[in-house]
Every structure is written in C-alpha cells, then in structure tokens.
C-alpha cells in the first residue's frame, strides 16, 4: 500500500511540474538528465527517450557548461542555490535565459543531484536593448558635437552636467575631433546654470584631453553665477581659453586658425 501511495505521489509531482510553463530539469551527480518537464521537452523538441540519460551540456549548452561557473555543478558540490543569466544553445538558436539551480536531496538529506528552473527572457532582453538604444540616442541628442566651420567644432551644453554626462561629452568631442581632424573645438556652457567642483574638474579634463589630440578647446558662455562659483571654489581655470560668448569664441577660433572674415560691401 505504501508503494502505491509513493507512486501516486510521484505521479502527482510530475503532473504539477508538467504544468509549469518554463523548463524544469533534474540531473544526477554525474550531470546526467533524470527528469525533464513538458516545457523542457518542447524547448528541445525531443521526447523523454531522447533526453533521459544524456549529459545536460549535450542538450542545453551554455558558456558555463564544463567550467567552474556551471550553476548545476556548484549547487551539487556546495549544497547551495545559484541563479543567474546566460544563453542556452539548443542546436538551432541561442536563447537568453534566467536560471535557478537548487541541490536535489534524497530522504536522508544526501545530495544526489540538482534541479534547474529555466525562464526564457528573450522579450525582456529585447526591451532592455531598446531602452539602451533610446538612452544612447538621448545622450547623443543632449551632447551634439556640431561642425561649425572648417576645422571648428562646437558642443553646446544645456542643463545639468553630472559625471556620466561629462564623460559622454568628452567621448563625443574626442571622437568628432578624430573624425574631422578639427583644430579648434568650442565648448559652450551658456545653458549650464550651475557648476560644482566635480563639474569644473571635468571641464578641465576635457580641455586637456582635446589638447592631447592637437585640438584647442575654447570654453564660452560662462554666466556670472557660474564664474562666481568657480572663484569661490578656488578652481584654477587659468590654463583654459575662455570667451564670454559663442561669437567671441568663434572669432578666437579664426585667429587660432589664421583665418579672416571679409565682408563684401
């Protein structure tokens, strides 16, 4: 009678696992598959006869398989649960997944294998990638390095400048200098309402980085409030070429490039 109840209990557990819409796999200590639910069979497009007894790495290959980073191996050896992200290769395509692995124990508490729960996160990864692309586009729009004249670039800055944006500004400017071989770049901060020590230091680093690429950086549009803040902070801006307005900065750029603007009467 006990055996009948045990078989009924095992059958019920199997039915419950088969109702889970994501793959569930169990392996023994040799990492050979001893169970795969219906969702797992559907993912692999294989029957139980073509799954049971095979090494899990031969069915669901990941970069972690056969290495010390294998979650299943760590769960069995350490007796702890592990989770993470990876990509599985089922032979046809690669699928981004989140996985959770727990050690499998017998009635006496001895670890006899492991159980892995796998969730397809393809849609989530696509969504995250779209957010990254949108974020990149927004950053590009917020730091547009524009070719103002032959050999002259301008980067108008509006709004708050933090460390991340300052780093992106530097990358944008240096890349544009490399692309255009420009000799002068104007960093116009007329739209920046306030600065702190970190922002001022970033501006100094930007001017030094452009100079290393053989390009003179002119800082224009410093407001009275920003000028007072820089003085109060005791930041030395003597090495930076500063001009009151963008127009003045452009005139300075022409002088640096030995150019003259001649108006026709």
């Amino acid at each position: 009678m006990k055996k009948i109840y045990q078989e009924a209990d095992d059958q019920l557990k199997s039915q419950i696992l088969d109702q889970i819409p994501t793959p569930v796999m169990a392996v023994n200590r040799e990492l050979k598959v001893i169970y795969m639910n219906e969702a797992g069979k559907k993912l692999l497009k294989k029957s139980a006869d073509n799954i049971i007894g095979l090494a899990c790495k031969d069915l669901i290959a990941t970069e972690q398989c056969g290495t010390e980073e294998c979650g299943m191996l760590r769960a069995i050896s350490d007796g702890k649960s592990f989770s993470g992200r990876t990509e599985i290769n089922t032979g046809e395509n690669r699928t981004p997944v989140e996985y959770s692995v727990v050690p499998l124990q017998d009635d006496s508490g001895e670890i006899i294998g492991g159980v892995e729960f796998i969730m397809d996160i393809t849609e989530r990864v696509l969504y995250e990638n779209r957010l990254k692309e949108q974020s990149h586009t927004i950053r590009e729009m917020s730091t547009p390095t524009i070719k103002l004249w032959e050999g002259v670039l301008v980067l108008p800055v509006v709004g708050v400048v933090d460390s991340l944006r300052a780093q992106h500004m530097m990358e944008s400017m240096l890349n544009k200098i490399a692309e255009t071989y420009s000799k002068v770049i104007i960093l116009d901060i007329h739209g920046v309402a306030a600065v702190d020590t970190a922002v001022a230091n970033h501006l100094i680093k930007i001017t030094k980085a452009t100079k290393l690429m053989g390009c003179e950086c002119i800082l224009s549009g410093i407001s009275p409030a920003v000028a007072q803040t820089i003085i109060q902070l005791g930041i030395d801006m003597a090495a930076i070429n500063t001009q009151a307005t963008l127009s003045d900065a452009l005139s300075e750029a022409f002088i640096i490039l030995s150019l003259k603007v001649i108006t026709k009467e």
Side-chain angles (χ1 to χ4, degrees):
M1 183 66 70
K2 183 177 180 181
K3 182 179 180 181
I4 294 175
Y5 281 129
Q6 183 65 46
E7 291 177 352
D9 184 54
D10 291 341
Q11 185 177 9
L12 178 60
K13 291 177 181 177
S14 179
Q15 289 176 351
I16 292 173
L17 290 174
D18 282 337
Q19 297 303 312
I20 297 177
T22 58
V24 179
M25 174 180 66
V27 303
N28 58 20
R29 292 190 66 89
E30 287 72 43
L31 303 183
K32 299 292 182 65
V33 179
I34 58 177
Y35 172 80
M36 182 76 72
N37 73 341
E38 288 299 322
K41 296 173 189 174
K42 187 179 294 185
L43 173 68
L44 298 174
K45 298 180 180 179
K46 296 179 182 291
S47 64
D49 294 336
N50 296 319
I51 294 175
I52 304 302
L54 294 179
C56 57
K57 68 177 182 179
D58 293 332
L59 295 169
I60 303 177
T62 71
E63 293 182 354
Q64 291 77 29
C65 287
T67 72
E68 295 181 354
E69 297 301 316
C70 172
M72 187 70 82
L73 189 62
R74 294 170 67 186
I76 294 173
S77 60
D78 298 346
K80 298 179 181 179
S81 300
F82 291 93
S83 61
R85 276 192 180 190
T86 188
E87 286 188 345
I88 61 174
N89 186 353
T90 59
E92 295 182 356
N93 49 43
R94 300 190 70 84
T95 305
V97 298
E98 271 188 358
Y99 66 89
S100 295
V101 188
V102 296
L104 179 63
Q105 300 177 336
D106 60 14
D107 293 338
S108 63
E110 181 180 352
I111 297 176
I112 58 174
V115 179
E116 184 167 358
F117 303 84
I118 302 170
M119 179 177 292
D120 185 341
I121 58 171
T122 300
E123 291 299 321
R124 189 193 308 175
V125 170
L126 290 174
Y127 177 71
E128 290 173 351
N129 289 338
R130 283 197 295 269
L131 287 180
K132 289 179 182 178
E133 290 174 2
Q134 291 173 0
S135 178
H136 177 73
T137 301
I138 292 171
R139 287 199 305 269
E140 290 293 336
M141 292 174 63
S142 67
T143 53
T145 304
I146 305 164
K147 185 176 180 180
L148 190 62
W149 202 277
E150 189 64 37
V152 181
L153 300 173
V154 61
L155 176 59
V157 184
V158 178
V160 178
V161 179
D162 56 15
S163 297
L164 182 61
R165 189 181 180 193
Q167 179 63 34
H168 185 72
M169 285 164 51
M170 182 183 294
E171 292 174 359
S172 175
M173 292 171 67
L174 298 181
N175 288 334
K176 201 69 174 181
I177 291 169
E179 290 174 10
T180 61
Y181 301 101
S182 296
K183 295 301 180 183
V184 180
I185 186 164
I186 302 169
L187 182 59
D188 186 72
I189 61 170
H190 180 74
V192 177
V195 299
D196 56 17
T197 305
V199 172
N201 286 330
H202 280 303
L203 294 177
I204 294 172
K205 289 179 181 178
I206 288 173
T207 59
K208 290 181 177 179
T210 57
K211 190 176 290 291
L212 287 174
M213 295 190 68
C215 184
E216 180 73 21
C217 182
I218 303 172
L219 187 64
S220 68
I222 299 177
S223 68
V226 170
Q228 287 181 355
T229 301
I230 291 174
I231 295 301
Q232 290 171 359
L233 292 174
I235 298 171
D236 184 11
M237 303 283 283
I240 299 178
N241 189 341
T242 60
Q243 297 295 324
T245 66
L246 181 57
S247 176
D248 293 336
L250 183 57
S251 297
E252 178 69 10
F254 287 160
I255 294 173
I256 294 171
L257 296 175
S258 300
L259 296 176
K260 291 182 179 181
V261 177
I262 300 175
T263 57
K264 292 183 178 181
E265 295 182 358

